[in-house]
Amino acid sequence: MYKKEYERWLAYALEDGDLKPELEQIAGDEEAIQDRFAVSLQFGTAGLRGVIGAGTNRMNLYVVRQATQGLANWVKTQGGSQTVAISYDSRIKSDLFAKAAAEVLAANGVKVRIYDQLMPVPALSFATRYYGCNAGIMITASHNPAKYNGYKAYGPDGCQMTDEAAAVVYAEIQKTDVLDGAKHIPFEQGMEQGLIAYVEQECCEALYQAIEACSVRPGLCKTAGLKLVYSPLNGSGLVPVTRVLSDIGVTDVTIVPEQKDPDGNFPTCPYPNPEIFEALRLGLELAEKEQADLMLATDPDADRVGIAVRCKDGSYELLSGNEVGVLLLDYICKARLENNTMPQNPVMVKSIVSTPLADVVAAHYGVECRNVLTGFKWIGDQIAQLEAAGQVERFIFGFEESYGYLAGSYVRDKDAIVGSMLICEMAAYYRSIGSSIKEELERIYSTFGRYLNQVDSFEFPGLSGMDKMAGIMQQLRAQPPVEIAGYPVVTVEDYKLRTKTDVKTGEVTPIELPASNVLIYRLEGGASVVVRPSGTEPKIKTYFTTLGKDLQEAQQQKDALAKALAPLMA
């Protein structure tokens, strides 16, 4: 079957000139043909993501058109404005795919608001809400390697699409022939007919104003003298991040020159992810040279931000997403209480795999901490619930351990622009009182306990990868561990079955969150281990939380737990 599909693509008059040579090059290569055509990219709540290239299992013009036809079919049943917002980042062919999506929507009579230059995820979420759209499309593969691109779909609330809507869109996609089933008209024709229009500057200005309104110490940065090194990692963050920082008074900003301009090849780092050292290496070298107070980097679609802080000895230390999340929570709470801007019954939201230290810090400040499933749409869902109840001002902060932060309700996804602004404001404030982010982190640890949170990943590439991952999760459910590295398992939380089991008594209690393929083992002594397949990559992630009298003790326990768990991932 896949050979026939390959031959059909080979014979088709392909508009994208890169695809035909690739198809000709793999002639006779059974494995390569199978890899590209045996399956199709699956459309889910995260949309599509895959390697750029020819075939149904690749990101290309035809797969994008097919997906957009499915989305258009769904939009036409929704009433409302019959409008879709589109944005794109710096990845290879992102602009081509964004225009292709606009051309399909216009051909189906659906109006389009598209950015005239690359803009990040938060800008897409904001435009979707600003224009009262039925949906939004963000062309990005987030922080994946350069060979990937993707297609994130958003609902009218600016959140990534719900399971129900994604299932309908996927059903429509499957009815659409990938090569010629999607309607499309030229982009210019769509503009002439008034179906395609660019996002107006007023929308961009409204986004910047909404972000700047999240400042908790307005005006502070103008006099603090903060010295910053920033890298957009060749992505979409440069314009919005530097604009907002300039507005709040952070003007001593040095951009990493090799990573300044948009470039989907990401020539300085194979994995443009601010979670990993290699992506930040050039920024760290420049920070040392400039003696900067702070170095920060945003990923290609600017929804995640990673930081390195200067220590007393002049060296720089990378902080984890959990550490930055807790620091920001602590900073926001203190500032709001001091300035009498804390709302009644404040709420912060985090994912179940993020550090429990945040629960402790939130409780200290009288803030309700809500734990939700992994995926920022679940944090967005909590904001939506507060908004529906007329209480949206109660939301003060949300974060995920994977470097995603949000303050304010203007969007429904993580936002590295507001994250960058608040991190800089926090650094400037601590500098102004003779302290530093590093010193304040140590204060938090000495006050609330030395929590250590680390994530390991196990990769399962190839067509058999997903089956292998499913088998491991099934085995863990069939034979749950009763101890890990000698630490007895106290409870097993199975979010797929939505049950929490007391290992000693066998008592089973329900979990109120929606079903998700996550297992959490709570261990005697307070440590925990989370096992979860990634939603966007062929890997299983294991999250470890340990609590020691110092970092060394916490690290020793984590290492022991990881060593004991590794054979179960084979």
Side-chain angles (χ1 to χ4, degrees), residues 266-280:
F266 308 115
T268 62
C269 54
Y271 205 69
N273 182 351
E275 295 180 54
I276 62 172
F277 172 79
E278 186 55 33
L280 306 189

Side-chain angles (χ1 to χ4, degrees), residues 444-524:
I444 289 169
Y445 282 140
S446 64
T447 304
F448 301 108
R450 190 48 174 99
Y451 286 78
L452 177 69
N453 304 94
Q454 290 185 346
V455 185
D456 292 346
S457 293
F458 298 85
E459 296 198 26
F460 300 90
L463 288 173
S464 62
M466 299 306 283
D467 291 337
K468 178 74 174 166
M469 288 162 60
I472 289 169
M473 296 303 289
Q474 188 178 347
Q475 183 64 22
L476 285 171
R477 288 189 167 92
Q479 293 182 298
V482 293
E483 58 84 25
I484 304 174
Y487 295 92
V489 176
V490 179
T491 60
V492 178
E493 296 170 25
D494 188 334
Y495 285 79
K496 189 174 184 180
L497 300 177
R498 301 174 72 199
T499 58
K500 177 179 177 178
T501 304
D502 185 305
V503 173
K504 218 172 243 180
T505 65
E507 182 187 358
V508 178
T509 52
I511 290 173
E512 298 303 325
L513 294 178
S516 183
N517 194 8
V518 180
L519 291 165
I520 300 182
Y521 306 100
R522 309 277 179 194
L523 309 180
E524 204 170 272

Side-chain angles (χ1 to χ4, degrees), residues 124-146:
L124 183 277
S125 180
F126 188 83
T128 303
R129 295 171 60 79
Y130 184 86
Y131 289 111
C133 296
N134 294 82
I137 299 167
M138 179 74 200
I139 305 295
T140 179
S142 191
H143 54 284
N144 278 47

